[in-house]
Amino acid sequence: MEQTLPQLMNLCKKYCNMLDRAGIGSRDKSLTMWQICKIDLLQFLAHMASADGGVCFRETLFIRDHLGFRFTPDKLTMFKYERNLDSEAFRSRIPTSMTYFANADVNAPDKLPGVKTAVTRTLAALFRQMGQEFIACNDLAGEREMEYFTQYMALLDNYIKVKGIRDHEGDEPQNTNRSGAASSGKNIPAKENPKDIPPSVREAEPEKTVEDYLAQLDALTGLYAVKQEVNTLVNLIKVRKMREEMDLKPPSVSLHLVFSGNPGTGKTTVARLLSGIYRALGLLSRGHLVEVDRSGLVSGYIGQTAAKVQEVVNEALGGVLFIDEAYALTAGKGEGDFGQEAVDTLLKAMEDHRDNLVVIVAGYPDLMNDFLNSNPGLRSRFNKFLFFEDYKADELTEILEGMCAGADYRLTPQAKDYAKTWFEERIASKPSGFANARDARNFFEQAVARQASRIVTLENVDETVLQILQIEDLQNEKDSV
């Protein structure tokens, strides 16, 4: 159950007192750990203040009520500039209090009797909750302030991960992010091509929280810009709900998205996670994902396309409709092409079900721009873009290793080096049909087949032999000549 801001503050104050008593807090005896923590929180809030044009009176009241510091808007602005809180240096600096909390978690958990959850996670959760409520109270809340917040929280989350923070009481180490969500292993982008298959429904897992889905997103290889965009979107939605509860004007948030990028870059995987996130946030009743392409929406006969689109929409109600290669709907302009009818029917359905349907369209970047420009209604409804970059060679190698681990295989060091070189050469040449993670999938499957041919005639085959992929298993006949 998510804790309230007062609960988190009381917990962190308790932990600060424990660190002081144990002598593992600040060496500056003129300040208690709790005072240091409050100063860090003040600087964090001042950092975000005025990001959208100026400090408002509500922000100063928030700081007074929660941290006890009294400022006028002008004085808070002056404090921000005097402390250089708008600089890149501040945005990359870990709060002093968090370094002490991390030291206690990593080096002295025995000094925190009865505390099972890592105290650093609780402190990060306090920063997150306080930041969200601070933005929500702001009369000038906007995207820039949310960007500052998202970047700062990513800094704290990464610090927790790098430090290897884990819960106490002998729990196994976990990759933590967003103040407590744990993940293990790497999620491999699923195959994204729904051609030649009917629309499929992937139900969200109702027991999962927003933090669980964000942890899964964070565990994906690469996609750094996409991860930040999704986190910003989630934060904006949370703040929007807070502002509605305070009877403040909520910021505009578009849930419909455009995913642009080449094949095999994880678009379907991220869409699936977003569908679960939207459900967990209470925006969708089911949070399932329906995947479809042109063939699932367009018919070759007059009067059938609208009915076909409506059938898919009905299947997607309460969830996310993911349309891959969406540009194919408007690519054909000849007589007898009903792609435009599909678009018109879809736009009407989006309006009719605007509170219970989210649509994500995906495809190659240039072609997606052509698609959106084909109809003014499309451009007005799809104004949020996520660009999926091609994977680098080391990222594809990491994905390959994840595939191996997931199937109980592992690469020898020589095989890993060979794979990275192979990916580097393929990326440099970008042959026709290059498909990022799909290339890694094909590479893995071919290696497994070659390994089977290699070991099937061996007399002594043990578990190790079955698991190891050697360099010759990765080489095709051309490579090995």
Side-chain angles (χ1 to χ4, degrees):
M1 184 176 179
E2 191 171 319
Q3 293 173 310
T4 65
L5 181 55
Q7 289 172 328
L8 288 169
M9 291 189 72
N10 287 334
L11 262 180
C12 286
K13 184 176 182 179
K14 171 186 172 183
Y15 297 153
C16 284
N17 292 337
M18 294 175 75
L19 265 62
D20 282 336
R21 288 195 299 269
I24 54 176
S26 171
R27 295 179 182 178
D28 182 359
K29 300 307 177 185
S30 65
L31 291 173
T32 66
M33 270 303 307
W34 181 236
Q35 288 172 327
I36 293 173
C37 188
K38 289 203 298 181
I39 291 172
D40 285 338
L41 287 164
L42 169 63
Q43 293 186 143
F44 166 58
L45 299 183
H47 166 66
M48 291 190 294
S50 78
D52 295 308
V55 178
C56 72
F57 186 61
R58 285 180 179 271
E59 290 175 323
T60 61
L61 289 181
F62 183 95
I63 290 173
R64 183 200 68 185
D65 293 343
H66 291 89
L67 297 176
F69 298 104
R70 295 178 179 273
F71 288 93
T72 63
D74 287 343
K75 287 185 176 180
L76 184 60
T77 301
M78 184 62 65
F79 174 81
K80 175 179 180 178
Y81 288 110
E82 286 176 348
R83 296 290 183 103
N84 203 23
L85 302 179
D86 200 26
S87 66
E88 285 298 325
F90 177 79
R91 281 193 278 273
S92 61
R93 188 169 69 239
I94 301 299
T96 302
S97 55
M98 181 161 284
T99 64
Y100 289 119
F101 272 53
N103 179 54
D105 278 328
V106 174
N107 299 316
D110 57 312
K111 301 292 186 180
L112 302 168
V115 179
K116 295 184 178 181
T117 301
V119 294
T120 315
R121 292 177 179 173
T122 304
L123 182 58
L126 174 58
F127 273 86
R128 182 174 299 279
Q129 188 67 24
M130 183 165 285
Q132 288 174 342
E133 294 194 19
F134 180 74
I135 294 174
C137 81
N138 183 3
D139 293 333
L140 303 171
E143 287 192 13
R144 185 166 177 79
E145 195 170 41
M146 189 61 69
E147 287 174 5
Y148 277 25
F149 170 72
T150 303
Q151 290 172 7
Y152 197 81
M153 291 312 305
L155 172 73
L156 303 190
D157 292 337
N158 186 62
Y159 177 73
I160 289 173
K161 181 186 296 184
V162 169
K163 296 292 284 186
I165 303 295
R166 63 177 184 177
D167 284 343
H168 307 156
E169 300 287 316
D171 286 355
E172 291 298 316
Q174 304 178 68
N175 290 330
T176 57
N177 44 78
R178 275 154 292 278
S179 311
S183 63
S184 60
K186 288 286 180 184
N187 288 2
I188 306 304
K191 294 183 178 180
E192 298 180 332
N193 190 0
K195 288 182 178 179
D196 304 321
I197 60 173
S200 59
V201 180
R202 301 174 187 269
E203 293 289 347
E205 300 177 66
E207 72 280 3
K208 284 192 174 183
T209 66
V210 174
E211 306 304 320
D212 293 331
Y213 287 113
L214 289 175
Q216 285 185 255
L217 176 67
D218 189 60
L220 294 175
T221 299
L223 304 178
Y224 303 109
V226 170
K227 292 172 183 177
Q228 182 163 319
E229 288 285 351
V230 171
N231 274 276
T232 299
L233 177 61
V234 170
N235 291 330
L236 197 58
I237 292 169
K238 287 183 176 180
V239 166
R240 178 185 175 89
K241 293 176 71 173
M242 291 178 186
R243 290 179 66 83
E244 288 174 343
E245 292 169 358
M246 298 176 189
D247 292 325
L248 295 172
K249 185 178 180 180
S252 176
V253 181
S254 175
L255 301 181
H256 305 300
L257 300 168
V258 179
F259 285 5
S260 64
N262 292 322
T265 49
K267 296 186 291 295
T268 304
T269 301
V270 174
R272 191 173 305 121
L273 292 174
L274 266 173
S275 65
I277 288 171
Y278 285 161
R279 181 209 58 78
L281 287 169
L283 301 173
L284 294 172
S285 56
R286 291 175 62 189
H288 61 301
L289 182 76
V290 174
E291 302 172 57
V292 69
D293 64 358
R294 176 188 165 96
S295 65
L297 296 172
V298 179
S299 176
Y301 300 95
I302 295 175
Q304 292 185 354
T305 291
K308 198 170 185 178
V309 173
Q310 193 58 55
E311 181 181 349
V312 172
V313 166
N314 290 339
E315 187 178 21
L317 286 179
V320 172
L321 175 59
F322 179 78
I323 306 175
D324 197 17
E325 299 181 358
Y327 49 79
L329 293 174
T330 56
K333 299 293 185 181
E335 185 178 349
D337 183 84
F338 302 104
Q340 191 58 54
E341 181 184 357
V343 170
D344 294 339
T345 306
L346 178 64
L347 289 173
K348 183 178 185 305
M350 291 170 66
E351 178 63 27
D352 293 344
H353 305 288
R354 58 183 176 274
D355 294 328
N356 203 29
L357 176 68
V358 170
V359 178
I360 298 176
V361 292
Y364 292 102
D366 292 342
L367 295 175
M368 288 307 296
N369 279 325
D370 293 342
F371 168 68
L372 295 175
N373 290 333
S374 70
N375 187 309
L378 288 172
R379 182 65 72 176
S380 65
R381 284 172 176 81
F382 294 99
N383 54 27
K384 182 73 173 176
F385 296 77
L386 271 68
F387 176 66
F388 290 69
E389 291 186 300
D390 286 341
Y391 288 110
K392 299 178 177 63
D394 58 343
E395 292 172 338
L396 289 174
T397 305
E398 185 177 337
I399 289 173
L400 175 63
E401 288 188 290
M403 292 174 180
C404 290
D408 290 328
Y409 289 93
R410 63 180 185 273
L411 301 171
T412 64
Q414 296 80 8
K416 180 179 176 180
D417 290 342
Y418 173 84
K420 184 176 180 181
T421 300
W422 190 87
F423 287 128
E424 287 173 344
E425 293 174 352
R426 191 153 176 85
I427 289 170
S429 62
K430 287 285 179 69
S432 175
F434 174 72
N436 288 284
R438 293 184 201 163
D439 276 23
R441 169 65 64 184
N442 293 335
F443 191 61
F444 168 68
E445 291 175 351
Q446 291 167 11
V448 168
R450 292 191 195 100
Q451 187 237 38
S453 297
R454 175 175 61 82
I455 68 174
V456 71
T457 59
L458 297 179
E459 292 185 5
N460 298 313
V461 178
D462 58 15
E463 183 176 323
T464 300
V465 172
L466 286 169
Q467 289 181 317
I468 294 295
L469 292 177
Q470 299 180 357
I471 189 170
E472 56 262 43
D473 300 325
L474 275 58
Q475 294 174 316
N476 60 33
E477 293 180 4
K478 179 180 178 181
D479 294 331
S480 58
V481 170

